[in-house]
Amino acid sequence: MLYYTQLIFVKEGQEAVFQSFEEKVLPLLESHHGELLLRVRPSDSSIIAATFDKPYEIHLVSFRSREDFETYRDDPQRIQHMHLKDQSVSRMILIEGKAL
């Protein structure tokens, strides 16, 4: 099992566009053996320390394998909505990990 943590930084004023992207692509996870384990919008009061801006959302997703992650990433249904991500997201940080 692989875990992916994603820090998502959304452009100011583009939150609704980002939400539209998420509504279209998150349901595709299951068909690629993925699961959204956690989706958080951190508040200012939840940050203890930081050396960069607070992300708009933090996702923790699991996949059975990297291949499953890659088939989700490259899914044509997901790709057709990438313009929404491109319009709304300024940057993302993706971290791959395993349970210890």
Side-chain angles (χ1 to χ4, degrees):
M1 186 73 63
L2 288 176
Y3 298 90
Y4 292 88
T5 303
Q6 190 172 43
L7 307 177
I8 305 160
F9 300 86
V10 172
K11 297 173 187 174
E12 190 171 333
Q14 294 296 309
E15 296 83 1
V17 175
F18 176 71
Q19 183 63 36
S20 178
F21 172 70
E22 294 288 272
E23 290 170 359
K24 291 169 176 49
V25 302
L26 289 178
L28 300 173
L29 283 167
E30 188 176 332
S31 64
H32 297 283
H33 310 289
E35 182 179 7
L36 179 63
L37 302 172
L38 184 67
R39 182 178 177 191
V40 177
R41 286 192 187 143
S43 64
D44 289 340
S45 65
S46 69
I47 306 297
I48 297 168
T51 59
F52 59 82
D53 294 338
K54 173 186 71 169
Y56 178 73
E57 283 191 1
I58 301 169
H59 294 182
L60 177 60
V61 180
S62 66
F63 286 94
R64 290 188 319 188
S65 67
R66 181 176 286 162
E67 181 180 69
D68 287 332
F69 165 74
E70 290 172 352
T71 60
Y72 167 73
R73 180 195 65 200
D74 300 336
D75 184 310
Q77 290 181 26
R78 183 177 178 276
I79 289 172
Q80 75 178 357
H81 302 295
M82 289 303 288
H83 67 281
L84 298 170
K85 176 186 167 278
D86 294 341
Q87 178 182 334
S88 62
V89 174
S90 61
R91 67 184 168 122
M92 291 187 172
I93 298 172
L94 181 66
I95 305 160
E96 181 182 272
K98 299 177 185 177
L100 300 177

